[in-house]
Amino acid sequence: MRVKDRWRRGAGQLGRSVAVWVVSTLTMLVLAGLLPDFRLEAPDGASATRLGVTAALGAGVFGLLSALVWPLLVRLLLLVPALVLALLVFFLNGALLLVALWVNPVQRGEAGPETAVVVAAVMSAVASATGGALAVRDDDAYRRRLYRLSDRRNRREARAAIEGPVTPGIVFVQLDGVGHDVLTDAVERGLMPTVARRLGKDAAAHAPTHRIMPWRTDWSSQTGASQLGILHGSNADVPAFRWYDKQRREVMVCNRPSSAVVLEQRAVKHAGHPGLLAVDGASRGNLFSGGAGEQALVLSIAARRRGKGFRSRSGYFAYFSDPANAVRTVLSFVAEVFREMGQSLRARAERRRPRVGRGGLYPLLRAFATVVQRDVVVYAVAGDMLTGRGAVYADLVAYDEVAHHSGPRSRDAAQVLRRLDRTLALLEKVAEHAPRPYRFVVLSDHGQSPGETFRSRYGLSLGDMVRAGCGLPVPRRARRTRSGAEARAAP
């Protein structure tokens, strides 16, 4: 099976390389037709076949030089100031293109120095975009790119800092909203082979390295209360996801940045320590920091004034600085939007109940939660492991977002669980290159129960019913419902 997987990966890599080569060839032909100072044919003209071969060889040589020579040039220029290096990138890339045209055995192309810079920049961008688009669903290619883009100097420093007996690091991966029964059912159905292997339930009958344990939440079974207790050791005075705080005289909402700051400060004061991640820790994609020194997409720091103590090195800018990452995420985002629209139409056509509204901005919000947040968080966690960080806590919210609208045991949610399992496998592969061993803890903050919303069940919102019972004006539609009439008639 492993041999077959290697052949499949090799064939996939070869196919992507050929596709990038073809697109680069076409790009070179188009640029040769558009730019007057860029020519692939001899002065006396050339046949279409000869012109195509020239473009193909030129694109191929330029790709090889970019792959082989470019890393060496960058290594030699590490001492050059960043601004100077940014300017040299374009000229060096143009020089590689001129070399590729000069060594062409069929016929030498011609390009002015300024034109060569433009052509090289366009071809590099097109090749990067094409490669990223083809590798959208290839987790192995994504893992290799994450490893390649990580700071090698940081990895060397991490290895040098870890002396004597190596203490394993720990990575907490929170699968938001995945209940115990949902997880065990997904394992039994073969949706999560990585988790099944860890539990010793895969087809190869590997010895179990993990065990699954249920736990019960507090009265408030939602992310804010659970994660606050896990990361900071206290969730005192968090009765719900949203409530009115009499002391502060304001409505507190767990996923509101200003509320998250207050809740974290209260928990730290109540517990008497900064949090689970205070020592060499990183918090990624969470509501709270856990006292971590490295933070990315953490809600509780969003409302604070960004200073040196709250700076994140692995946020959006770090991830999207690589064009291949941007292409992968953007294409996956668009695909997820259309996937949600199709699944919503199918649920409506099949008249599934209970059903909640899935229109408006929800397809975009779902795509952000299932694609953008996942990719940025995974990128940050991979960087943490490759730099040897001691403890990492990351929250993947994809399942929770989909299950709230499609149902915790729906086919839509099952597809998300399958993708989350692939993410766990990806992190396992990244750990193989880390300077220290890592132990994984996969946990959840709460589960979900299927049920109709108050509005769907009774025809009006809970707020409208309370207003009707108090004799306050309510929308006409709410007044006409049976529940609204009963509320108005109540003494």
Side-chain angles (χ1 to χ4, degrees):
M1 187 66 179
R2 292 182 179 178
V3 175
K4 183 184 293 186
D5 291 339
R6 290 175 182 174
W7 277 103
R8 186 182 295 111
R9 285 197 296 268
Q13 294 172 13
L14 179 61
R16 286 192 297 273
S17 299
V18 172
V20 171
W21 184 17
V22 171
V23 172
S24 298
T25 300
L26 296 175
T27 302
M28 182 174 282
L29 288 171
V30 171
L31 292 175
L34 295 177
L35 301 176
D37 294 336
F38 180 42
R39 189 172 64 214
L40 295 176
E41 59 183 7
D44 56 350
S47 64
T49 302
R50 188 179 181 88
L51 190 64
V53 172
T54 302
L57 291 177
V61 174
F62 177 68
L64 288 176
L65 290 176
S66 299
L68 301 177
V69 179
W70 185 250
L72 298 177
L73 292 176
V74 173
R75 187 179 294 272
L76 292 175
L77 294 173
L78 284 177
L79 299 179
V80 176
L83 179 60
V84 178
L85 178 60
L87 296 175
L88 284 177
V89 163
F90 295 98
F91 295 103
L92 292 175
N93 217 17
L96 291 179
L97 177 68
L98 291 176
V99 172
L101 296 175
W102 185 76
V103 300
N104 198 318
V106 177
Q107 62 182 16
R108 295 179 180 176
E110 296 180 1
E114 301 85 356
T115 304
V117 171
V118 174
V119 173
V122 173
M123 290 188 61
S124 297
V126 170
S128 177
T130 304
L134 294 174
V136 163
R137 297 186 59 84
D138 190 338
D139 288 335
D140 287 330
Y142 183 48
R143 171 181 55 83
R144 290 191 297 271
R145 187 162 62 251
L146 291 180
Y147 178 71
R148 186 170 60 250
L149 291 174
S150 64
D151 192 330
R152 289 180 172 82
R153 287 180 296 175
N154 284 346
R155 292 207 304 272
R156 287 198 297 268
E157 292 173 1
R159 290 190 178 95
I162 301 175
E163 299 176 353
V166 179
T167 302
I170 186 167
V171 177
F172 300 91
V173 181
Q174 177 179 307
L175 303 183
D176 207 301
V178 180
H180 173 268
D181 294 343
V182 170
L183 182 66
T184 53
D185 181 62
V187 170
E188 296 297 332
R189 293 168 56 190
L191 297 175
M192 307 185 76
T194 304
V195 176
R197 173 170 48 80
R198 289 281 184 171
L199 297 175
K201 296 183 178 181
D202 61 338
H206 290 96
T209 59
H210 285 65
R211 58 175 177 166
I212 184 170
M213 299 174 58
W215 70 283
R216 291 188 177 275
T217 66
D218 206 341
W219 283 107
S220 180
S221 58
Q222 46 90 17
T223 302
S226 297
Q227 195 178 87
L228 191 64
I230 294 171
L231 290 177
H232 289 282
S234 172
N235 60 1
D237 297 329
V238 183
F241 179 79
R242 181 185 287 104
W243 73 98
Y244 181 76
D245 191 306
K246 296 180 180 179
Q247 181 180 0
R248 296 181 60 86
R249 295 185 177 181
E250 65 175 291
V251 176
M252 303 289 288
V253 185
C254 287
N255 66 350
R256 180 183 295 168
S258 58
S259 299
V261 173
V262 175
L263 296 178
E264 182 173 316
Q265 292 172 347
R266 287 179 178 177
V268 170
K269 183 178 180 180
H270 190 272
H273 57 80
L276 178 69
L277 308 173
V279 179
D280 193 26
S283 180
R284 309 301 189 186
N286 301 309
L287 295 180
F288 311 102
S289 69
E294 287 290 332
Q295 305 174 20
L297 306 187
V298 176
L299 191 70
S300 64
I301 68 172
R304 304 181 191 178
R305 185 175 181 179
R306 282 304 186 93
K308 185 177 180 181
F310 304 117
R311 189 175 302 159
S312 174
R313 298 181 181 178
S314 302
Y316 291 109
F317 294 106
Y319 179 78
F320 288 106
S321 60
D322 176 53
N325 286 345
V327 171
R328 169 189 170 96
T329 300
V330 168
L331 291 180
S332 297
F333 183 93
V334 174
E336 189 70 13
V337 169
F338 283 103
R339 181 181 294 113
E340 162 56 26
M341 295 170 64
Q343 291 174 349
S344 178
L345 290 174
R346 184 176 61 197
R348 185 177 295 274
E350 296 176 354
R351 298 184 178 181
R352 297 180 192 168
R353 297 298 296 259
R355 186 175 68 246
V356 298
R358 295 165 63 172
L361 295 178
Y362 172 69
L364 301 179
L365 296 176
R366 165 177 164 166
F368 176 84
T370 58
V371 175
V372 180
Q373 194 265 0
R374 176 203 62 194
D375 287 352
V376 175
V377 168
V378 169
Y379 179 85
V381 173
D384 292 328
M385 288 192 290
L386 293 173
T387 53
R389 199 166 302 285
V392 185
Y393 194 104
D395 185 9
L396 300 176
V397 301
Y399 172 84
D400 187 66
E401 183 66 36
V402 174
H404 272 307
H405 291 79
S406 301
R409 295 183 180 272
S410 64
R411 181 166 47 183
D412 305 348
Q415 294 178 359
V416 177
L417 288 174
R418 194 187 301 273
R419 294 200 294 270
L420 287 175
D421 187 81
R422 289 168 51 190
T423 299
L424 295 176
L426 173 64
L427 293 177
E428 283 186 350
K429 292 293 185 180
V430 173
E432 295 175 0
H433 300 281
R436 71 195 307 167
Y438 276 95
R439 295 173 179 172
F440 287 88
V441 176
V442 180
L443 71 157
S444 182
D445 49 346
H446 61 85
Q448 293 192 26
S449 299
E452 289 189 279
T453 63
F454 193 93
R455 180 188 294 273
S456 175
R457 179 65 181 84
Y458 297 104
L460 76 167
S461 68
L462 178 61
D464 287 339
M465 190 185 75
V466 173
R467 290 178 63 87
C470 296
L472 298 175
V474 295
R476 181 178 302 176
R477 180 180 178 183
R479 291 200 304 266
R480 293 175 177 174
T481 63
R482 178 178 178 182
S483 300
E486 290 177 352
R488 290 197 308 275

